[in-house]
Coordinates of all heavy atoms in Angstrom, one line a residue:
M1 N 42.1 76.0 -33.0 CA 42.3 75.2 -31.8 C 41.8 73.8 -32.1 O 40.7 73.6 -32.7 CB 41.5 75.8 -30.7 CG 41.6 75.0 -29.4 SD 40.9 75.8 -28.0 CE 41.6 77.4 -28.0
N2 N 42.5 72.8 -31.7 CA 42.2 71.4 -31.9 C 41.2 71.0 -30.8 O 41.6 71.0 -29.6 CB 43.4 70.6 -31.8 CG 43.1 69.1 -32.2 OD1 42.0 68.7 -32.2 ND2 44.2 68.3 -32.4
E3 N 40.0 70.6 -31.1 CA 39.0 70.3 -30.1 C 39.0 68.8 -29.8 O 38.2 68.4 -29.0 CB 37.6 70.7 -30.7 CG 37.5 72.2 -30.9 CD 36.3 72.5 -31.8 OE1 35.7 71.6 -32.3 OE2 36.0 73.7 -31.9
S4 N 39.9 68.1 -30.3 CA 40.0 66.6 -30.0 C 41.3 66.3 -29.2 O 41.7 65.2 -29.3 CB 40.0 65.8 -31.3 OG 41.1 66.2 -32.1
T5 N 41.8 67.2 -28.5 CA 43.0 67.0 -27.7 C 42.6 66.4 -26.4 O 41.6 66.8 -25.7 CB 43.7 68.3 -27.4 OG1 44.0 68.9 -28.7 CG2 45.0 68.1 -26.7
T6 N 43.3 65.4 -25.9 CA 43.1 64.8 -24.6 C 44.3 65.0 -23.7 O 45.4 65.3 -24.2 CB 42.8 63.3 -24.7 OG1 44.0 62.7 -25.3 CG2 41.6 63.0 -25.6
H7 N 44.1 64.9 -22.4 CA 45.2 65.0 -21.5 C 44.9 64.2 -20.3 O 43.7 64.0 -19.9 CB 45.5 66.5 -21.1 CG 44.5 67.1 -20.2 ND1 43.2 67.5 -20.7 CD2 44.5 67.3 -18.9 CE1 42.6 68.0 -19.6 NE2 43.3 67.9 -18.6
Q8 N 46.0 63.7 -19.7 CA 45.9 62.9 -18.5 C 46.7 63.7 -17.5 O 47.7 64.4 -17.8 CB 46.4 61.5 -18.6 CG 45.5 60.7 -19.5 CD 46.1 59.3 -19.7 OE1 47.3 59.1 -19.9 NE2 45.2 58.3 -19.7
K9 N 46.4 63.5 -16.2 CA 47.1 64.2 -15.1 C 47.7 63.2 -14.1 O 47.0 62.4 -13.6 CB 46.2 65.1 -14.4 CG 45.6 66.2 -15.3 CD 44.2 66.6 -14.9 CE 43.2 65.6 -14.9 NZ 42.8 64.9 -16.1
V10 N 49.0 63.3 -13.9 CA 49.7 62.6 -12.9 C 50.5 63.6 -12.1 O 51.4 64.2 -12.7 CB 50.6 61.5 -13.4 CG1 51.3 60.8 -12.2 CG2 49.8 60.4 -14.1
G11 N 50.2 63.9 -10.9 CA 50.9 65.0 -10.1 C 52.0 64.4 -9.3 O 51.7 63.3 -8.6
Y12 N 53.1 65.0 -9.3 CA 54.2 64.6 -8.4 C 54.5 65.8 -7.5 O 54.7 66.9 -8.0 CB 55.5 64.3 -9.3 CG 55.4 63.1 -10.2 CD1 54.9 63.3 -11.5 CD2 55.7 61.8 -9.7 CE1 54.7 62.2 -12.3 CE2 55.6 60.7 -10.6 CZ 55.1 60.9 -11.8 OH 55.0 59.8 -12.7
G13 N 54.6 65.5 -6.2 CA 54.9 66.6 -5.3 C 54.8 66.0 -3.9 O 54.6 64.9 -3.7
L14 N 55.0 66.9 -2.9 CA 55.0 66.5 -1.5 C 53.6 65.9 -1.2 O 53.6 64.9 -0.5 CB 55.3 67.7 -0.6 CG 55.5 67.3 0.8 CD1 56.7 66.3 1.0 CD2 55.8 68.5 1.7
Y15 N 52.6 66.5 -1.7 CA 51.2 65.9 -1.5 C 50.5 65.5 -2.8 O 49.3 65.6 -2.9 CB 50.4 67.0 -0.7 CG 50.9 67.3 0.6 CD1 51.5 68.5 0.8 CD2 50.9 66.4 1.6 CE1 52.1 68.8 2.1 CE2 51.4 66.6 2.9 CZ 52.0 67.8 3.1 OH 52.5 68.1 4.3
G16 N 51.3 65.1 -3.8 CA 50.8 64.7 -5.0 C 50.4 65.8 -6.0 O 49.7 65.5 -7.0
A17 N 50.8 67.0 -5.7 CA 50.5 68.2 -6.6 C 49.0 68.3 -6.9 O 48.6 68.7 -8.0 CB 51.3 68.1 -7.9
V18 N 48.2 68.0 -5.9 CA 46.7 68.0 -6.1 C 46.2 69.3 -6.5 O 45.4 69.4 -7.5 CB 46.0 67.5 -4.8 CG1 44.5 67.6 -4.9 CG2 46.4 66.1 -4.5
M19 N 46.6 70.4 -5.9 CA 46.0 71.7 -6.2 C 46.5 72.2 -7.6 O 45.8 72.7 -8.4 CB 46.4 72.8 -5.2 CG 45.8 72.5 -3.8 SD 43.9 72.4 -3.9 CE 43.6 74.1 -4.4
A20 N 47.8 71.9 -7.9 CA 48.3 72.3 -9.2 C 47.5 71.5 -10.4 O 47.2 72.1 -11.4 CB 49.8 72.0 -9.3
V21 N 47.3 70.3 -10.1 CA 46.5 69.5 -11.2 C 45.1 70.0 -11.3 O 44.6 70.1 -12.4 CB 46.6 68.0 -10.9 CG1 45.7 67.2 -11.8 CG2 48.0 67.5 -11.0
Q22 N 44.5 70.4 -10.2 CA 43.1 70.9 -10.3 C 43.1 72.2 -11.1 O 42.1 72.4 -11.9 CB 42.6 71.1 -8.8 CG 42.3 69.9 -8.1 CD 41.3 69.0 -8.8 OE1 40.3 69.4 -9.4 NE2 41.5 67.7 -8.8
K23 N 44.1 73.1 -10.9 CA 44.1 74.3 -11.7 C 44.4 74.0 -13.2 O 43.8 74.6 -14.1 CB 45.2 75.2 -11.2 CG 44.8 75.8 -9.8 CD 45.8 76.7 -9.3 CE 45.4 77.3 -7.9 NZ 46.2 78.3 -7.4
L24 N 45.2 73.0 -13.4 CA 45.5 72.6 -14.8 C 44.2 72.0 -15.5 O 43.9 72.3 -16.6 CB 46.6 71.5 -14.9 CG 46.9 70.9 -16.2 CD1 47.3 72.0 -17.2 CD2 47.9 69.8 -16.1
R25 N 43.4 71.3 -14.7 CA 42.2 70.7 -15.2 C 41.2 71.8 -15.6 O 40.6 71.7 -16.7 CB 41.5 69.8 -14.1 CG 40.3 69.1 -14.5 CD 39.7 68.4 -13.4 NE 40.5 67.5 -12.6 CZ 40.6 66.2 -12.7 NH1 39.7 65.6 -13.5 NH2 41.4 65.5 -12.0
A26 N 41.1 72.8 -14.8 CA 40.2 74.0 -15.1 C 40.7 74.7 -16.4 O 39.9 75.0 -17.2 CB 40.1 74.9 -13.9
Q27 N 42.0 74.9 -16.5 CA 42.5 75.6 -17.7 C 42.3 74.8 -18.9 O 42.0 75.3 -20.0 CB 43.9 76.0 -17.5 CG 44.1 77.0 -16.4 CD 45.6 77.2 -16.0 OE1 46.5 76.5 -16.4 NE2 45.9 78.2 -15.2
A28 N 42.6 73.5 -18.8 CA 42.4 72.6 -20.0 C 41.0 72.6 -20.4 O 40.7 72.5 -21.6 CB 42.9 71.2 -19.6
G29 N 40.0 72.6 -19.5 CA 38.6 72.6 -19.8 C 38.2 73.8 -20.6 O 37.5 73.8 -21.6
A30 N 38.8 75.0 -20.2 CA 38.6 76.2 -21.0 C 39.1 76.2 -22.4 O 38.6 76.8 -23.3 CB 39.2 77.4 -20.2
L31 N 40.2 75.3 -22.6 CA 40.7 75.2 -23.9 C 40.1 74.0 -24.7 O 40.6 73.7 -25.8 CB 42.3 74.9 -23.8 CG 43.1 76.0 -23.2 CD1 44.5 75.6 -23.0 CD2 43.0 77.2 -24.2
R32 N 39.0 73.5 -24.2 CA 38.2 72.4 -24.8 C 39.0 71.1 -25.0 O 38.9 70.5 -26.0 CB 37.6 72.9 -26.1 CG 36.7 74.1 -25.9 CD 36.1 74.6 -27.1 NE 35.2 73.6 -27.7 CZ 34.5 73.8 -28.7 NH1 34.5 75.0 -29.3 NH2 33.7 72.9 -29.2
M33 N 39.9 70.8 -24.0 CA 40.6 69.6 -24.0 C 39.8 68.5 -23.2 O 39.3 68.8 -22.2 CB 42.0 69.8 -23.4 CG 42.9 70.8 -24.1 SD 44.4 71.2 -23.2 CE 45.3 69.6 -23.3
A34 N 39.8 67.3 -23.8 CA 39.0 66.3 -23.1 C 39.8 65.8 -21.8 O 41.0 65.6 -21.9 CB 38.9 65.1 -24.0
D35 N 39.1 65.7 -20.8 CA 39.7 65.4 -19.5 C 39.6 63.8 -19.3 O 38.5 63.3 -19.2 CB 39.0 66.1 -18.4 CG 39.7 65.9 -17.0 OD1 40.8 65.5 -17.0 OD2 39.0 66.2 -16.0
I36 N 40.7 63.1 -19.2 CA 40.7 61.7 -19.1 C 40.9 61.3 -17.7 O 41.9 61.5 -17.1 CB 41.8 61.0 -20.0 CG1 41.5 61.4 -21.4 CG2 41.8 59.5 -19.8 CD1 42.6 60.8 -22.4
G37 N 39.9 60.7 -17.1 CA 40.0 60.0 -15.8 C 40.3 60.9 -14.6 O 40.5 62.1 -14.8
P38 N 40.4 60.3 -13.5 CA 40.7 61.0 -12.3 C 42.2 61.3 -12.2 O 43.0 60.7 -12.9 CB 40.3 60.0 -11.2 CG 40.5 58.7 -11.8 CD 40.1 58.9 -13.3
Q39 N 42.5 62.1 -11.3 CA 43.9 62.4 -11.1 C 44.6 61.3 -10.3 O 44.0 60.7 -9.4 CB 44.0 63.7 -10.2 CG 45.4 64.1 -9.8 CD 45.5 65.3 -8.9 OE1 44.5 66.1 -8.9 NE2 46.5 65.5 -8.2
V40 N 45.8 61.0 -10.7 CA 46.6 60.0 -9.9 C 47.7 60.8 -9.2 O 48.6 61.5 -9.9 CB 47.3 59.0 -10.9 CG1 48.2 58.0 -10.1 CG2 46.2 58.2 -11.6
A41 N 47.7 60.9 -7.9 CA 48.6 61.7 -7.2 C 49.8 60.8 -6.7 O 49.6 59.7 -6.1 CB 47.9 62.3 -6.0
R42 N 51.0 61.2 -7.0 CA 52.2 60.5 -6.5 C 52.9 61.4 -5.5 O 53.1 62.6 -5.7 CB 53.1 60.2 -7.7 CG 52.5 59.3 -8.7 CD 52.4 57.9 -8.1 NE 51.9 57.0 -9.1 CZ 51.7 55.8 -8.8 NH1 51.9 55.3 -7.6 NH2 51.3 54.9 -9.7
S43 N 53.2 60.9 -4.4 CA 53.8 61.6 -3.3 C 55.4 61.4 -3.4 O 55.8 60.3 -3.4 CB 53.3 61.1 -2.0 OG 54.1 61.6 -0.9
L44 N 56.1 62.5 -3.3 CA 57.5 62.4 -3.3 C 58.0 61.7 -2.0 O 59.0 61.0 -2.0 CB 58.2 63.8 -3.3 CG 58.1 64.6 -4.6 CD1 58.6 66.0 -4.4 CD2 58.8 63.9 -5.7
R45 N 57.3 61.8 -1.0 CA 57.6 61.2 0.3 C 57.4 59.7 0.3 O 58.1 58.9 0.8 CB 56.8 61.8 1.5 CG 57.2 61.3 2.8 CD 56.4 62.0 3.9 NE 56.0 63.3 3.5 CZ 55.1 64.1 4.2 NH1 54.7 63.7 5.3 NH2 54.8 65.3 3.7
E46 N 56.3 59.2 -0.3 CA 55.8 57.8 -0.3 C 56.1 57.0 -1.5 O 56.1 55.8 -1.5 CB 54.4 57.8 0.1 CG 54.1 58.4 1.5 CD 52.6 58.5 1.8 OE1 51.8 58.1 1.0 OE2 52.3 59.0 2.9
D47 N 56.2 57.7 -2.7 CA 56.4 56.9 -3.9 C 57.8 57.0 -4.5 O 58.0 56.5 -5.6 CB 55.4 57.5 -4.9 CG 53.9 57.1 -4.5 OD1 53.7 55.9 -4.3 OD2 53.1 58.0 -4.5
F48 N 58.7 57.6 -3.8 CA 60.1 57.7 -4.3 C 61.0 57.3 -3.1 O 60.8 57.7 -2.0 CB 60.4 59.1 -4.7 CG 59.8 59.5 -6.0 CD1 58.5 60.0 -6.0 CD2 60.5 59.4 -7.2 CE1 57.9 60.4 -7.2 CE2 59.9 59.8 -8.4 CZ 58.6 60.3 -8.4
V49 N 62.0 56.5 -3.5 CA 63.0 56.0 -2.5 C 64.1 57.1 -2.4 O 64.7 57.5 -3.5 CB 63.6 54.7 -2.9 CG1 64.7 54.2 -1.9 CG2 62.5 53.6 -3.1
N50 N 64.3 57.6 -1.2 CA 65.3 58.7 -1.1 C 65.0 59.9 -1.9 O 65.9 60.6 -2.3 CB 66.7 58.2 -1.3 CG 67.1 57.2 -0.2 OD1 66.7 57.3 0.9 ND2 67.9 56.2 -0.7
F51 N 63.8 60.1 -2.3 CA 63.3 61.3 -3.1 C 63.9 61.3 -4.5 O 63.9 62.3 -5.2 CB 63.6 62.6 -2.4 CG 62.8 62.8 -1.2 CD1 63.4 62.5 0.1 CD2 61.5 63.2 -1.2 CE1 62.7 62.7 1.2 CE2 60.8 63.4 0.0 CZ 61.4 63.1 1.2
T52 N 64.5 60.2 -5.0 CA 65.2 60.1 -6.3 C 64.8 59.0 -7.1 O 64.7 59.1 -8.4 CB 66.7 60.1 -6.1 OG1 67.1 58.9 -5.4 CG2 67.3 61.3 -5.4
E53 N 64.5 57.8 -6.6 CA 64.2 56.6 -7.3 C 62.7 56.3 -7.2 O 62.2 56.2 -6.1 CB 65.0 55.4 -6.8 CG 64.8 54.2 -7.6 CD 65.6 53.0 -7.0 OE1 66.6 53.3 -6.3 OE2 65.1 51.9 -7.1
F54 N 62.0 56.2 -8.4 CA 60.6 56.0 -8.4 C 60.3 54.6 -7.9 O 60.8 53.6 -8.4 CB 60.0 56.2 -9.8 CG 58.6 56.1 -9.9 CD1 57.8 56.9 -9.1 CD2 57.9 55.2 -10.8 CE1 56.4 56.8 -9.2 CE2 56.6 55.2 -10.9 CZ 55.8 56.0 -10.1
G55 N 59.5 54.4 -6.8 CA 59.1 53.2 -6.3 C 57.7 53.3 -5.8 O 57.4 53.4 -4.6
P56 N 56.7 53.3 -6.7 CA 55.3 53.6 -6.3 C 54.7 52.5 -5.4 O 55.1 51.4 -5.4 CB 54.6 53.6 -7.6 CG 55.4 52.7 -8.5 CD 56.8 52.9 -8.1
R57 N 53.8 53.0 -4.5 CA 53.1 52.1 -3.6 C 52.1 51.3 -4.4 O 51.6 51.7 -5.4 CB 52.3 53.0 -2.6 CG 53.2 53.7 -1.6 CD 52.4 54.6 -0.7 NE 51.8 55.7 -1.6 CZ 50.8 56.4 -1.2 NH1 50.2 56.2 0.0 NH2 50.3 57.3 -2.0
E58 N 52.0 50.1 -4.0 CA 51.1 49.1 -4.7 C 49.7 49.6 -4.8 O 49.0 49.4 -5.8 CB 51.2 47.8 -4.0 CG 50.5 46.6 -4.8 CD 51.2 46.3 -6.1 OE1 52.5 46.5 -6.2 OE2 50.5 46.0 -7.0
L59 N 49.2 50.3 -3.8 CA 47.7 50.6 -3.8 C 47.4 51.6 -4.9 O 46.3 51.8 -5.3 CB 47.3 51.2 -2.4 CG 47.8 52.6 -2.0 CD1 46.7 53.5 -2.0 CD2 48.4 52.5 -0.6
R60 N 48.4 52.4 -5.4 CA 48.2 53.3 -6.5 C 48.3 52.7 -7.9 O 47.9 53.3 -8.8 CB 49.1 54.5 -6.3 CG 48.9 55.3 -5.1 CD 47.7 56.1 -5.1 NE 47.6 56.9 -3.9 CZ 46.5 57.4 -3.4 NH1 45.3 57.1 -4.0 NH2 46.5 58.2 -2.4
T61 N 48.8 51.5 -7.9 CA 49.1 50.9 -9.2 C 47.8 50.7 -10.0 O 47.7 51.0 -11.2 CB 49.8 49.6 -9.1 OG1 51.0 49.8 -8.4 CG2 50.1 48.9 -10.4
A62 N 46.7 50.3 -9.4 CA 45.4 50.1 -10.1 C 44.9 51.4 -10.6 O 44.4 51.4 -11.7 CB 44.4 49.4 -9.1
E63 N 45.1 52.5 -9.8 CA 44.6 53.8 -10.3 C 45.3 54.2 -11.6 O 44.7 54.7 -12.5 CB 44.8 54.9 -9.2 CG 43.9 54.8 -8.0 CD 44.3 55.9 -7.0 OE1 45.2 56.7 -7.3 OE2 43.6 55.9 -6.0
L64 N 46.6 54.0 -11.5 CA 47.5 54.4 -12.7 C 47.1 53.6 -13.9 O 46.9 54.1 -15.0 CB 48.9 54.3 -12.3 CG 49.9 54.8 -13.4 CD1 49.7 56.3 -13.6 CD2 51.3 54.6 -12.9
H65 N 46.9 52.3 -13.7 CA 46.6 51.4 -14.9 C 45.2 51.8 -15.4 O 45.0 51.8 -16.6 CB 46.6 49.9 -14.5 CG 47.9 49.4 -14.4 ND1 48.5 48.7 -15.4 CD2 48.8 49.4 -13.3 CE1 49.7 48.3 -15.0 NE2 49.9 48.7 -13.8
G66 N 44.3 52.1 -14.5 CA 42.9 52.5 -15.0 C 43.0 53.8 -15.8 O 42.3 53.9 -16.8
L67 N 43.8 54.7 -15.4 CA 44.0 56.0 -16.1 C 44.6 55.8 -17.5 O 44.1 56.3 -18.5 CB 44.9 57.0 -15.3 CG 45.0 58.4 -15.8 CD1 43.7 59.1 -15.7 CD2 46.1 59.1 -15.1
V68 N 45.6 55.0 -17.6 CA 46.3 54.7 -18.8 C 45.4 53.9 -19.8 O 45.4 54.1 -21.0 CB 47.6 54.0 -18.6 CG1 48.2 53.5 -19.9 CG2 48.6 54.9 -17.9
D69 N 44.6 53.0 -19.2 CA 43.7 52.1 -20.0 C 42.6 52.9 -20.7 O 42.1 52.5 -21.7 CB 43.1 51.0 -19.2 CG 44.1 50.0 -18.8 OD1 45.2 49.9 -19.4 OD2 43.8 49.2 -17.8
E70 N 42.2 54.1 -20.1 CA 41.2 54.9 -20.7 C 41.7 55.6 -22.0 O 40.9 56.0 -22.8 CB 40.7 56.0 -19.7 CG 39.8 55.5 -18.6 CD 39.2 56.6 -17.8 OE1 38.9 57.6 -18.3 OE2 39.1 56.3 -16.6
L71 N 43.0 55.8 -22.1 CA 43.5 56.6 -23.3 C 43.1 56.0 -24.6 O 42.6 56.8 -25.5 CB 45.0 56.7 -23.1 CG 45.7 57.6 -24.2 CD1 45.1 59.0 -24.1 CD2 47.2 57.6 -23.9
P72 N 43.2 54.7 -24.9 CA 42.8 54.2 -26.2 C 41.3 54.4 -26.5 O 40.9 54.8 -27.6 CB 43.2 52.7 -26.2 CG 44.2 52.6 -25.1 CD 43.9 53.7 -24.1
A73 N 40.5 54.3 -25.5 CA 39.1 54.5 -25.7 C 38.8 56.0 -26.1 O 38.0 56.2 -27.0 CB 38.3 54.1 -24.4
W74 N 39.4 56.9 -25.4 CA 39.2 58.3 -25.7 C 39.8 58.6 -27.1 O 39.2 59.4 -27.8 CB 39.8 59.2 -24.6 CG 39.0 59.4 -23.4 CD1 38.9 58.6 -22.3 CD2 38.0 60.4 -23.3 NE1 38.0 59.1 -21.5 CE2 37.4 60.3 -22.0 CE3 37.6 61.5 -24.0 CZ2 36.4 61.1 -21.5 CZ3 36.6 62.4 -23.5 CH2 36.1 62.1 -22.3
A75 N 40.9 58.1 -27.4 CA 41.5 58.4 -28.7 C 40.6 57.9 -29.8 O 40.4 58.6 -30.8 CB 42.9 57.7 -28.8
G76 N 40.0 56.7 -29.6 CA 39.1 56.2 -30.6 C 37.8 57.0 -30.7 O 37.3 57.3 -31.8
A77 N 37.3 57.5 -29.6 CA 36.1 58.3 -29.6 C 36.3 59.6 -30.3 O 35.4 60.2 -30.9 CB 35.6 58.4 -28.2
L78 N 37.5 60.2 -30.1 CA 37.8 61.5 -30.7 C 38.3 61.4 -32.1 O 38.5 62.4 -32.7 CB 38.8 62.2 -29.7 CG 38.2 62.6 -28.4 CD1 39.3 63.2 -27.5 CD2 37.0 63.5 -28.5
G79 N 38.6 60.2 -32.6 CA 39.1 60.0 -33.9 C 38.3 60.7 -35.0 O 38.8 61.4 -35.8
P80 N 36.9 60.6 -35.0 CA 36.1 61.3 -36.0 C 36.3 62.8 -35.9 O 36.3 63.5 -37.0 CB 34.7 60.9 -35.7 CG 34.9 59.5 -35.0 CD 36.1 59.7 -34.2
L81 N 36.5 63.3 -34.8 CA 36.7 64.8 -34.6 C 38.0 65.2 -35.3 O 38.1 66.3 -35.9 CB 36.6 65.2 -33.2 CG 35.3 65.2 -32.5 CD1 35.4 65.5 -31.0 CD2 34.3 66.1 -33.2
R82 N 39.0 64.4 -35.0 CA 40.3 64.7 -35.6 C 40.2 64.6 -37.2 O 40.8 65.5 -37.9 CB 41.4 63.8 -35.1 CG 41.9 64.1 -33.7 CD 43.1 63.3 -33.3 NE 42.9 61.9 -33.4 CZ 42.4 61.1 -32.4 NH1 42.1 61.7 -31.2 NH2 42.2 59.9 -32.5
A83 N 39.5 63.6 -37.7 CA 39.4 63.5 -39.1 C 38.6 64.6 -39.7 O 39.0 65.2 -40.8 CB 38.7 62.1 -39.4
A84 N 37.5 65.0 -39.0 CA 36.8 66.2 -39.6 C 37.6 67.5 -39.5 O 37.5 68.3 -40.5 CB 35.5 66.3 -38.7
A85 N 38.4 67.7 -38.5 CA 39.2 68.9 -38.4 C 40.3 68.8 -39.5 O 40.6 69.8 -40.1 CB 39.9 69.0 -37.0
S86 N 40.9 67.7 -39.8 CA 41.9 67.5 -40.8 C 41.3 67.8 -42.2 O 41.9 68.5 -43.0 CB 42.5 66.1 -40.8 OG 43.2 65.9 -39.6
G87 N 40.1 67.3 -42.4 CA 39.4 67.5 -43.7 C 39.0 69.0 -43.9 O 39.1 69.5 -45.0
A88 N 38.6 69.7 -42.8 CA 38.2 71.1 -42.9 C 39.4 72.0 -43.2 O 39.3 73.0 -43.8 CB 37.5 71.5 -41.6
S89 N 40.6 71.6 -42.6 CA 41.7 72.5 -42.8 C 42.5 72.2 -44.1 O 43.4 73.0 -44.5 CB 42.7 72.3 -41.6 OG 43.2 71.0 -41.6
A90 N 42.2 71.1 -44.8 CA 42.9 70.8 -46.0 C 42.4 71.6 -47.2 O 41.5 72.2 -47.3 CB 42.7 69.3 -46.3

């Protein structure tokens, strides 16, 4: 199992898929996946035009940017673990 795996969560649903993402977070923790940032919930009712075209609300944009901005920091921090795992399996 790769112990340096990261994941981010963006839920899409009527209420942002909050419960589904919480269950995913618990399962990913059991698999030793690094949890990056808070959940960003997107509502089908409020973030999509006619439920088909993505048109996010402005107030969620900062949350989404914050979540995406954390990815390079986590990738760098987990780099030594990936290198050690690659060396051990070679």
